[in-house]
Structures are given as C-alpha cells and as structure tokens.
C-alpha cells in the first residue's frame, strides 16, 4: 500500500494540478506563470486569448518556458465552435457537415489537419469532438455540433475524429458524457434532464463513447445533465454512479475525465462553484474546466483552497485527489512525448473547403441559372448559444460580395424582418440566409412572406436542415463555418 504524503505542499500542488483555468490577455500573465511553478499543470485558451496563430505560438512558448510538459487546452471543435479562427470563422466544417458526407476517411483527414494547426501553435489538448447523438432536433446547444441523429454514424465519425487528431500528438477530449443530444435546455443556463430509460441510453447515447474509448481517446468530458435512469440525484459531472461506476467500471475507461465548464449555471447556480468542484473530483473527475467566464487569480486560488480544505475535513479523500492529479500529469507527459507527431505527412490546408463542398445539399426548383449581377443578402440572426459565442462571423455575404461586386447585405431578426428585407433589396435578387429555421418561428414566418413576394429568392440554411427545402434555390450547408459559407456562395453563383 502506498503511503501518501500529507504535507500542505503536496496537497496544494495536487489541488492546482487538477485545475484547467483560463486567463485574460494575449500574453502569459505573471500570476499564471508563477502558479505553474507551484503545481499548475494545465491552462485553457479561449477566443479572448487568440489574435493570430503566430501570437498563440508565442503565448504557448511563454508558458512552456515555465513548464515544458504543460497541457494547453482549447475548445476547438471547428465548425460553429471555433477559438483558433474566432475572428474569421473556421477553416474546417463542423461535425454535422462531416456526418452528412459520411466518409470517415474525410473526417479523419480534417481532424488530422486541425491537429497539425493546433500542434504548430503549441496547443496539446482539444476539448473535442462532440460524440452526442442529436436525438432532439430542438436541442438548443448541440445541433450541428453533432455528427448526426444516427448512433452508428456518430460512433464511426467520433472514432475517426479522435484518431485523426491524436495522430498529430494533440489529445482528444470526447464529450459530453453520458450524452447531451436529447436535451431541450442549455446547461450553460440550467440543469438539462434526459428522461429516457436505461436501455435507450445504453443503445443510443453510449456507443459513440465506447467507440472513442476503443479509438484511444485520451480524455472524456462530463456533461452537466441529470439522467434519472443512471442517477436520480446528481448531474453527470457530480455523479460517482456515472463517472466512476459507469465510465470507469462498466466501460473500462482509464484516461482523463475532465468536467465541462464549472461556471455554467447547471453547476455554479445549483451547487456553488467551489463546492461543485469538490463534488466533481470526489465523483471521479480528474480535471476541472474553469475560466470561460471567471478567469482571475482569485478564482483559481479559491478553488485550490476549497480542494485542500475538503481533503483536510475528510469530505474529499486524499487518495482521490492524488489519483486525479496523477492522471493530469500522465496526460501532460504523453503530450510532451508526442510533440511533433504527424509531421511526416504533407499538410492539406484545402481539406476543410473540400469537405464543406462535399457536404452541400442543393435543391433547385428548375434548371440551373448562373447569377452574374449584384444580389442582396439578408441574414436572419438567431440568438447564439454561449458555446458558439457571438464573436465569430458567419454567413455568405462576404464571399458573395467578392464574387459579385456590388452585392450588399443586412442582418435582421424578429417580426417584420421580411418587409425590411424587401425594402432594403430594392428589386435585387434576394439571398435569405437562415440558421435553424425550424427552431425560430419568426424565421419561418419571414421566409413565408418573402417567398410569396419574391419566389425567385435563394434560401441558404446554415444550421440543421429540418424544414422542407424551399425557394428557387435551396442550399443546406450543415453548419456555419467560414468554409461552409464559401461553398454555399459558390453554389449560389452557379445557380
């Protein structure tokens, strides 16, 4: 039996090791560099930390000057959820577009190229892919972040994505266990609940995670969701039944378990941030994602001290904290040893656009009719979820303005959008760009009015294509990444 040291230094170092905090700024803050010397083993990058790839490379080099095996994490799913391309839109289509193509080799190649870019920037840990089966098309937070609604499809593409990314030495983090696809509440705001029986969960939600484990995923992220069939009392992130008995026990997973963002209201608003972190480690989580919102030194020290106090009071077993810290250090060691992997194959920077073009679904009501005169692009703006964020541009306007000089655009939302579009178009051909029309009644109503007045309108759906295709030309992109917009604009001009 191993005898554990009980000194405050050991506890402090272990408590810091399990935290994956974010920070402000585009250079390494002094407080982060100082804490790296005291045991902090991970940091997380968010959109606010990214300006250019060269700047990120310099930032990670600053951090690694303090700790060479540092885990540098990022939430880079590609598609709608991008941090590396937060200011331009992603150079890679997201999961739903890849699922629509259904070529695991293409998915593997896209993830490999993404991993190459991340590794070149010094990023070693990616909180992706989403392995959620999008069983509920009204899901407000998953949607096009999922490969699709078919369990088998999601499983094979999850495995391919994990393999592609990790071939470059960047660790994958498959999420959101035990499956966030059948929710109708965003866990950023409240605790979602999935009321299905255990058989359905085992047959629908769990196979993609089994596939990820078989593919060697280095990490799995927990979901802040209540699944009464598995645990009627605690959400996944805080449930030992889900993290320890199911994931570790039944599924045999031995890698890192990291939580979803702990500031999300599903946890912080119900249990409190500090208590929630203690409960998560006690339940079987190894690493704590924090810093999407709270990203100051005081928050990190408060969480460190809460973990140390929980060990001293007996609420959190010292062995559990030590095991969690050891798993974080093990993953950090793997990424350090794997650095430079995948450099023996040629880069493929065009793979994202190739994949986006293959994903398009184009429906015409008549023969193709190329467009060569200026258009009016009406972008219908939904409220975006927090995971996507509101910084990243989307749509087809910029590319159409390049392809057809004189094209102009406007953004619209809510009742009255159609009349505003008709007035602004001033007789020009209209391209109406929507995102999840089926989830926003005002979008559907606006298209009804617009198409009645202008049946030659082109409709581009950049979310889930659940509504029936309509318009003189209907283009479904299966996501709003920049490359999806480029591919859609090419299809618009081709008519």
């Amino acid at each position: 039996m191993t005898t554990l040291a009980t000194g405050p230094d050991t506890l402090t170092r272990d408590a810091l090791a399990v935290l994956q905090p974010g920070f402000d700024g585009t250079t390494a803050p002094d407080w982060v560099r100082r804490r790296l010397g005291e045991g902090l083993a991970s940091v997380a990058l968010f959109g606010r930390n990214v300006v250019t790839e060269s700047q990120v490379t310099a930032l990670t080099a600053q951090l690694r000057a303090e700790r060479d095996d540092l885990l540098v994490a990022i939430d880079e799913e590609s598609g709608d959820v991008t941090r590396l391309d937060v200011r331009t839109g992603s150079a890679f289509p997201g999961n739903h577009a890849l699922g629509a193509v259904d070529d695991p080799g293409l998915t593997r190649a896209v993830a490999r190229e993404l991993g190459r870019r991340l590794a070149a920037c010094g990023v070693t840990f990616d909180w992706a892919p989403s392995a959620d089966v999008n069983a509920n098309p009204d899901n407000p937070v998953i949607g096009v972040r999922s490969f699709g609604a078919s369990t088998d499809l999601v499983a094979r593409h999850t495995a391919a994505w994990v393999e592609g990314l990790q071939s470059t030495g960047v660790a994958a983090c498959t999420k959101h266990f035990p499956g966030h696809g059948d929710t109708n509440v965003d866990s950023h705001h409240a605790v979602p609940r999935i009321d299905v029986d255990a058989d359905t969960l085992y047959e629908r939600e769990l196979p993609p995670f089994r596939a990820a484990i078989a593919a060697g995923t280095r990490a799995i992220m927990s979901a802040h969701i209540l699944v009464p069939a598995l645990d009627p009392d605690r959400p996944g992130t805080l449930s030992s039944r889900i993290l320890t008995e199911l994931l570790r026990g039944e599924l045999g997973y031995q890698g890192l378990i990291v939580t979803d963002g702990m500031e999300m209201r599903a946890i912080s608003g119900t249990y409190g941030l500090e208590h929630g972190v203690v409960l998560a480690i006690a339940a079987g989580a190894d690493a704590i994602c924090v810093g999407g919102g709270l990203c100051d030194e005081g928050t990190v020290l408060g969480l460190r001290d809460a973990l140390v106090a929980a060990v001293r009071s007996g609420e959190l077993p010292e062995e559990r904290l030590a095991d969690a810290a050891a798993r974080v250090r093990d993953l950090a060691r793997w990424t350090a040893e794997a650095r430079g992997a995948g450099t023996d194959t040629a880069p493929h920077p065009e793979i994202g656009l190739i994949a986006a073009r293959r994903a398009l679904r184009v429906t015409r009501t008549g023969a193709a009719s190329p467009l060569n005169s200026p258009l009016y692009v009406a972008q219908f703006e939904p409220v975006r979820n927090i995971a996507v964020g509101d910084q990243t541009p989307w749509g087809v306007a910029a590319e159409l303005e390049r392809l057809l000089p004189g094209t102009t655009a406007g953004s619209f939302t809510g009742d009255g959008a159609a009349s505003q579009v008709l007035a602004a178009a001033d007789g020009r051909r209209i391209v109406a760009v929507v995102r999840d029309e089926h989830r926003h009644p005002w979008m559907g109503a606006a298209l009804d009015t617009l198409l009645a007045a202008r049946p030659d309108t082109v409709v581009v759906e950049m979310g889930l294509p659940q509504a029936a295709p309509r318009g003189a030309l209907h283009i479904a992109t299966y996501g709003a990444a920049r490359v999806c917009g480029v591919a859609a604009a090419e299809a618009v001009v081709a008519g």
Side-chain angles (χ1 to χ4, degrees), residues 117-209:
R117 282 186 64 194
L118 292 173
C121 292
V123 176
T124 54
F125 186 25
D126 190 5
W127 294 328
S130 168
D132 306 299
V133 178
N134 201 50
N136 182 353
D138 290 329
N139 193 316
V141 68
I142 301 300
V144 295
R145 300 168 66 193
S146 167
F147 288 111
S150 161
T151 295
D152 289 345
L153 179 145
V154 173
R156 62 178 170 267
H157 286 276
T158 295
W161 210 99
V162 167
E163 292 164 356
L165 185 80
Q166 292 190 166
S167 71
T168 67
V170 177
C173 180
T174 306
K175 61 188 184 187
H176 306 80
F177 188 82
H180 210 312
D182 194 19
T183 60
N184 58 11
V185 172
D186 185 343
S187 50
H188 290 89
H189 304 298
V191 181
R193 180 184 177 104
I194 298 182
D195 283 310
V196 298
D197 57 78
D199 287 346
T200 299
L201 290 164
Y202 274 75
E203 293 170 7
R204 187 180 67 189
E205 262 71 32
L206 296 188
F209 292 97

Side-chain angles (χ1 to χ4, degrees), residues 43 45 56 60 64 70-78 84 108 110-129 158-174 212 215-219 256 330-343:
V43 296
L45 303 184
V56 174
T60 59
R64 286 217 168 79
L70 177 69
L71 276 175
V72 179
I74 199 167
D75 191 7
E76 181 57 62
E77 298 177 16
S78 294
L84 200 58
R108 192 175 294 107
V110 167
R112 184 184 303 117
E113 187 63 25
L114 170 63
R116 191 194 313 277
R117 282 186 64 194
L118 292 173
C121 292
V123 176
T124 54
F125 186 25
D126 190 5
W127 294 328
T158 295
W161 210 99
V162 167
E163 292 164 356
L165 185 80
Q166 292 190 166
S167 71
T168 67
V170 177
C173 180
T174 306
T217 188
R218 292 285 167 173
L256 188 80
D330 284 346
L331 181 59
R333 190 176 304 112
W334 178 84
T335 61
E337 292 171 353
R339 205 174 299 159
T343 56

